[in-house]
Amino acid sequence: MRLLVTADLHFNHNRSRGLAQQAIDDLNHTPADVLLVVGDTATADEGQLEAALSQIRFDRPKLFLCGNHELWTRRDDSHDLFTTELPARIRALGWHWLEDDPFVEGDVAIIGSVGWYDYSYAPVGLPVPRRFYEAKVSPGAASHLSAYKHLLGDDVTPDALEIVARWNDGKMVKLGRSDEAFLEDRLASLRRSLDAVPARCRIVAGVHHVPFEDLLPPRNSPTWDFARAYLGSSRMGDLLLTDRRITHVFCGHSHFEAEVQMNHIRAINIGSGYRLKRQWVGEV
């Protein structure tokens, strides 16, 4: 099977729109048997997701995964959007909703998950108490925002107050449960997908969030490092490593191109971002 993979088109973002249009044109002219899009195509509000996906004129199976940006909404419930509304919208466009529904063709199966994060990638030594990660706002930012000043306390050091950052999932994603609980749901769903794959198949997995720490971008400044907490979770990678049938894992989200061999798995971060779009194509 010749597989074409991309991620992080960010079609609705002003500084990304032109490059996303060009990337879609490239997809339309790249020969492959199956197309896999690994999240952050566009936000779900205002028809932006449909506007992007309807332009992809790929006449073979098209497999779709959410990223965190598809869960961004001005409405009150991202979880219902994710579990009920988006699957129907994606299928209506002629795409395969890969979350919870493995794709099988011949002796190859493709499974997928949005993944998520549990702050396990937060750098050791960064002076940020856990409650700030849960609120998705750094100590320095909290000190300037009245809605978050209750997070400050005696354990917040001067160095911590120099870290000024926010993770916008905190404003735009409304799961109605903790990040860890949502990750547990996604792990359980991925286990069910693995169990549903016929024994004869080798497996390719797509996960929007980064499932292996070795695929993360290098450490940078403390402000940038604060965001590492939201890049993924090694628990997803640990689960994937338990199944010897898995040959490839593709992810996105971090906008950092990387590849690593993890035991039997060739793990690839596509590396698309706002200013540069990438795709991967090859035999699986």
Side-chain angles (χ1 to χ4, degrees), residues 127-157 160-161 165-166 226 230:
V128 177
R130 182 181 175 85
R131 63 186 180 275
F132 290 93
Y133 290 119
E134 293 171 347
K136 301 181 178 67
V137 59
S138 71
S143 70
H144 297 290
L145 298 168
S146 59
Y148 296 98
K149 285 189 175 179
H150 67 281
L151 296 174
L152 302 173
D154 293 341
D155 58 343
V156 177
T157 66
L161 293 174
R166 296 186 70 174
F226 175 78
Y230 310 108

Side-chain angles (χ1 to χ4, degrees), residues 48-248:
Q48 293 289 333
L49 187 54
E50 281 84 354
L53 294 179
S54 64
Q55 294 186 51
I56 299 177
R57 297 182 298 276
F58 188 83
D59 61 3
R60 298 283 294 150
K62 302 185 294 288
L63 316 183
F64 177 87
L65 284 171
C66 278
N68 56 310
H69 279 245
E70 276 81 11
L71 276 60
W72 283 22
T73 182
R74 295 184 179 90
R75 291 173 282 177
D76 294 330
D77 192 343
S78 296
H79 194 263
D80 182 66
L81 175 69
F82 174 67
T83 57
T84 303
E85 182 180 326
L86 279 175
R89 288 168 58 182
I90 295 305
R91 289 168 177 145
L93 290 168
W95 287 69
H96 183 105
W97 175 263
L98 195 58
E99 190 102 24
D100 308 318
D101 186 12
F103 170 83
V104 178
E105 187 171 278
D107 61 354
V108 178
I110 303 176
I111 63 171
S113 174
V114 64
W116 209 247
Y117 42 78
D118 55 4
Y119 327 133
S120 57
Y121 289 160
V124 175
L126 200 67
V128 177
R130 182 181 175 85
R131 63 186 180 275
F132 290 93
Y133 290 119
E134 293 171 347
K136 301 181 178 67
V137 59
S138 71
S143 70
H144 297 290
L145 298 168
S146 59
Y148 296 98
K149 285 189 175 179
H150 67 281
L151 296 174
L152 302 173
D154 293 341
D155 58 343
V156 177
T157 66
D159 285 345
L161 293 174
E162 295 295 318
I163 303 171
V164 181
R166 296 186 70 174
W167 190 252
N168 281 329
D169 285 1
K171 295 185 293 182
M172 302 301 293
V173 177
K174 300 107 172 181
L175 292 171
R177 65 211 67 215
S178 69
D179 293 316
E180 294 95 327
F182 186 60
L183 176 63
E184 286 287 353
D185 289 345
R186 296 304 92 216
L187 288 165
S189 173
L190 197 64
R191 290 187 193 98
R192 290 191 295 270
S193 290
L194 287 168
D195 291 342
V197 171
R200 71 176 187 277
C201 291
R202 61 186 183 275
I203 299 174
V204 175
V207 182
H208 177 67
H209 289 77
V210 180
F212 299 111
E213 192 167 7
D214 289 353
L215 293 175
L216 291 175
R219 292 279 300 267
N220 199 311
S221 67
T223 292
W224 280 103
D225 287 350
F226 175 78
R228 288 170 71 91
Y230 310 108
L231 294 186
S233 169
S234 58
R235 294 184 62 200
M236 188 67 69
D238 291 344
L239 172 58
L240 295 167
L241 284 168
T242 65
D243 197 314
R244 299 289 302 182
R245 296 174 296 170
I246 298 176
T247 60
H248 295 73

